[in-house]
């Protein structure tokens, strides 16, 4: 019996030694060393993540606390966190409890570097090996040589990809094939300085670009701001919002703003990487060729409408000819109403598909109104030589091409023609697709189909 008791006590002591080794090894190597200026108190935050890698959890914490974070660490196991109203520094210590880290802070910019692994496995192996050995009581266990802080080993991690990544995006990857797209619905987003994304799409929100966008930026129902140091290599398209290009920012593609305003600063958006090829006479010739192509396509579109929807096109021509000022005013009002409708629809996820369909139909109808306006203009200038509506449309398109290229007033001419087209569409209730409920017999009735 005494032999059994001594044997049991030795096993008990061995288990206690193993637990002590495991606890001492973990606490010795899991810590966060803070460097720089850390405030004594910060506003408390709440964080709720589930099955998320520690780096991504640190990213979520940074967004809550208003930090900019750069994490240099290999991937780690996912964690579940559910905390409310706690200091962000305390939450950071909990998230980084798997190894030793150095957190350097300068203002709101925090750089986190992993300097060691907890390596808890060797201790259990020692304990398991000690248990089946003959019952010689182990001397108070001497802690194994603490694993050399992989500060020196960090550069020797075999076959692991470089552990440098920005927590908010894959900023270290400059190959378009390795950079992710970002699609945001019903909210706003921000591409931080040093961050790289490919295509950026925002529906029902705004976008700020301080970093690099290697593809295109598309925003519906919101604004786009490219701040100093920001770079957009592709095109920028804004529907129902505004575009603002600040000094020191670069957009190498084209900018299209539909139903909003554009502030392009002192930067020529068309002069990007191909500035030498597109400058001077060749650049002017290229732009003129593009305008001729667009006008030719407008003429073809108009001839198809005149052939297939003759009565509806005649109703819009009649409105432009009979009441030009009323048509122009309806164009202004219709543009504002359409803009507000698109913005309201893009706020909700359900309204976004409706807004997209409405925009497509509205653009198609506006082009039909523009063709009717140009046909009316051509008839006013050339009716004594030809009665063909196709000749009238061709003359109107030619005049529009020349007028839109006149210095100083080209943009004004284009805007006037577009507003006349929208006004003709509104005055005829969508070219007769939306008939009146009650027939108007008054002296101010409009042309109807």
């Amino acid at each position: 019996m005494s032999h059994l008791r001594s044997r049991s006590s030795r096993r008990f002591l061995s288990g206690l030694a193993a637990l002590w080794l495991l606890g001492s090894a973990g606490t010795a190597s899991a810590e966060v060393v803070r460097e720089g200026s850390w405030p004594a108190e910060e506003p408390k935050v709440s964080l709720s993540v589930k099955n998320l890698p520690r780096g991504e959890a640190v990213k979520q914490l940074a967004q809550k606390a208003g930090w900019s974070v750069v994490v240099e660490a290999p991937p780690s196991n996912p964690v579940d966190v559910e905390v409310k109203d706690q200091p962000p520094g305390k939450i950071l210590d909990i998230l980084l409890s798997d190894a030793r880290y150095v957190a350097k802070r300068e203002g709101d910019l925090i750089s986190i570097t992993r300097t060691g692994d907890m390596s808890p496995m060797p201790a259990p192996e020692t304990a398991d090996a000690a248990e089946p050995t003959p019952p010689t009581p182990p001397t108070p266990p001497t802690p194994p040589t603490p694993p050399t802080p992989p500060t020196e080993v960090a550069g020797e991690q075999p076959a692991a990809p470089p552990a440098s990544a920005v927590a908010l995006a894959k900023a270290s990857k400059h190959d378009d094939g390795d950079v992710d797209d970002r699609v945001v619905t019903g909210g706003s987003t921000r591409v931080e300085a040093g961050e790289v994304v490919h295509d950026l799409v925002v529906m029902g929100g705004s976008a700020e670009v301080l970093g690099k966008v290697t593809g295109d930026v598309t925003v519906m129902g919101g604004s786009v701001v490219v701040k100093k140091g920001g770079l957009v290599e592709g095109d920028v398209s804004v529907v129902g919002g505004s575009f603002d290009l600040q000094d020191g920012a670069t957009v190498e593609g084209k900018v299209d703003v539909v139903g909003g305003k554009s502030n392009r600063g002192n930067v020529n958006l068309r002069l990007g990487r191909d500035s030498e090829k597109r400058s001077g006479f060749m650049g002017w010739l290229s732009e003129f060729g593009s305008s001729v192509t667009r006008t030719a396509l407008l003429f073809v579109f108009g001839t198809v409408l005149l052939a297939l929807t003759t009565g509806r096109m005649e109703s819009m021509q009649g409105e432009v000819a009979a009441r030009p000022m009323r048509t122009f005013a309806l164009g202004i009002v219709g543009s504002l109403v359409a803009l507000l409708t698109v913005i309201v629809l893009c706020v909700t996820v359900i309204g976004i598909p409706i807004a997209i369909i409405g925009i497509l139909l509205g653009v198609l109808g506006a082009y039909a109104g523009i063709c009717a306006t140009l046909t009316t203009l051509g008839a006013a200038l050339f009716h004594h030589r030809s009665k063909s509506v196709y000749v009238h449309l061709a003359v109107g398109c030619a005049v529009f091409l020349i007028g839109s290229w006149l210095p100083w007033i080209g943009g004004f001419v284009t805007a006037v023609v577009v507003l006349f087209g929208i006004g003709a569409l509104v005055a005829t209730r969508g070219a007769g697709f939306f008939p009146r409920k009650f027939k108007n017999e008054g002296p101010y009735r409009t042309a109807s189909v």
Side-chain angles (χ1 to χ4, degrees):
M1 288 295 289
S2 60
H3 175 70
L4 293 176
R5 289 178 181 176
S6 60
R7 192 173 187 180
S8 301
S9 62
R10 281 194 296 268
R11 289 187 176 180
F12 178 71
L13 291 174
S14 299
L16 288 179
L19 292 176
W20 180 82
L21 279 174
L22 182 61
S24 61
T27 54
S29 57
E31 61 177 341
V32 178
V33 179
R34 300 188 183 184
E35 297 181 2
S37 56
W38 289 79
E41 294 184 1
E42 289 187 274
K44 296 181 178 180
V45 298
S46 299
L47 182 64
S48 176
V49 298
K50 185 176 182 180
N51 197 26
L52 200 65
R54 293 180 187 271
E56 292 297 320
V58 172
K59 163 188 168 180
Q60 297 288 342
L61 174 61
Q63 292 180 347
K64 296 284 187 178
W67 296 342
S68 297
V69 179
V70 177
V71 180
E72 297 182 5
S76 60
N77 295 331
V79 295
D80 293 344
V81 179
E82 184 72 34
V83 294
K84 293 185 178 180
D85 298 331
Q86 295 294 330
K90 184 177 180 180
I91 302 176
L92 180 65
D93 293 341
I94 296 174
L95 290 176
L96 302 180
S97 61
D98 64 324
R100 304 177 77 183
Y101 293 87
V102 174
K104 299 179 181 180
R105 178 165 181 169
E106 295 181 6
D108 291 333
L109 177 61
I110 301 175
S111 173
I112 300 175
T113 307
R114 185 170 179 171
T115 62
D117 295 330
M118 289 183 63
S119 305
M121 294 303 296
E125 289 176 2
T126 306
D128 294 337
E131 191 169 337
T133 52
T136 51
T139 54
T142 56
T145 339
T148 19
T151 323
E152 299 89 2
V153 184
E156 303 175 1
Q157 293 188 1
S164 176
V166 175
L168 299 179
K170 300 178 181 177
S172 62
K173 299 182 179 179
H174 293 271
D175 182 5
D176 287 355
D178 294 334
V179 180
D180 290 340
D181 297 335
R182 180 179 297 181
V183 180
V184 179
T185 302
S188 300
T189 186
R190 179 186 179 100
V191 180
E192 299 290 348
E195 189 178 358
V196 180
V197 299
H198 185 47
D199 288 335
L200 176 61
V201 180
V202 182
M203 296 183 180
S206 301
E208 291 186 5
V209 179
L210 289 82
K212 180 179 180 181
V213 179
T214 60
D216 299 332
V217 177
T218 305
V219 174
M220 295 182 60
S223 61
V224 176
V225 180
V226 184
K227 295 193 174 182
K228 183 178 180 180
L231 171 62
V232 178
E233 294 183 351
D235 300 335
V236 177
S237 302
V238 184
V239 178
S242 62
F243 170 74
D244 186 10
L245 182 69
Q246 297 184 356
D247 294 339
T250 305
V251 174
E252 294 183 349
K254 297 180 180 180
V255 174
D256 295 319
V257 179
V258 178
K261 62 179 182 178
S262 174
N263 178 21
R264 305 185 181 185
N266 299 322
V267 182
N268 189 342
L269 299 173
R270 296 295 181 89
L271 299 181
R273 291 172 294 184
D274 302 325
S275 58
E276 295 182 359
K277 298 179 183 179
R278 300 179 63 87
S279 60
F281 175 75
M282 293 303 297
W284 178 88
L285 188 61
S286 175
E287 291 293 331
F288 183 76
S290 299
S291 298
V292 172
T293 301
R294 289 193 296 268
T295 306
L297 292 175
L298 182 64
F299 171 75
V300 172
F301 180 69
T303 56
V304 172
L305 292 178
L306 288 172
L308 299 180
T309 60
T310 305
R312 301 183 189 278
M313 293 294 289
E314 287 178 353
S315 68
M316 289 192 287
Q317 295 173 45
E319 281 293 333
V320 175
R323 287 168 284 275
M325 295 308 299
R326 179 179 181 273
T327 304
F328 181 75
L330 286 176
I332 297 175
V333 175
S335 301
L336 295 176
V337 172
L339 173 61
L340 293 176
T341 304
V342 169
I343 293 175
V344 171
L345 288 175
C346 287
V347 171
T348 61
V349 177
I350 299 177
I352 291 176
I354 300 175
I356 295 175
I357 296 174
I359 290 173
L360 294 176
L361 294 177
V363 170
L364 182 64
Y367 272 110
I370 291 172
C371 291
T373 301
L374 296 179
T375 304
T376 304
L377 175 63
L381 298 176
F382 215 71
H383 68 93
H384 56 286
R385 291 183 177 271
S386 176
K387 301 297 182 182
S388 173
V389 290
Y390 303 106
V391 174
H392 298 164
L393 176 61
V395 172
C397 288
V399 173
F400 176 60
L401 175 64
I402 297 173
S404 62
W405 268 86
L406 291 176
W408 306 107
I409 65 171
F412 176 75
V413 171
T414 302
V416 169
V417 172
V418 171
L419 291 175
F420 264 105
I422 297 174
L425 186 67
V426 174
T428 58
R429 295 180 176 270
F433 282 102
F434 302 97
R436 302 177 186 278
K437 293 182 179 180
F438 303 99
K439 188 174 180 181
N440 185 4
E441 299 294 345
Y444 301 105
R445 65 183 181 275
T446 58
S448 59
V449 178

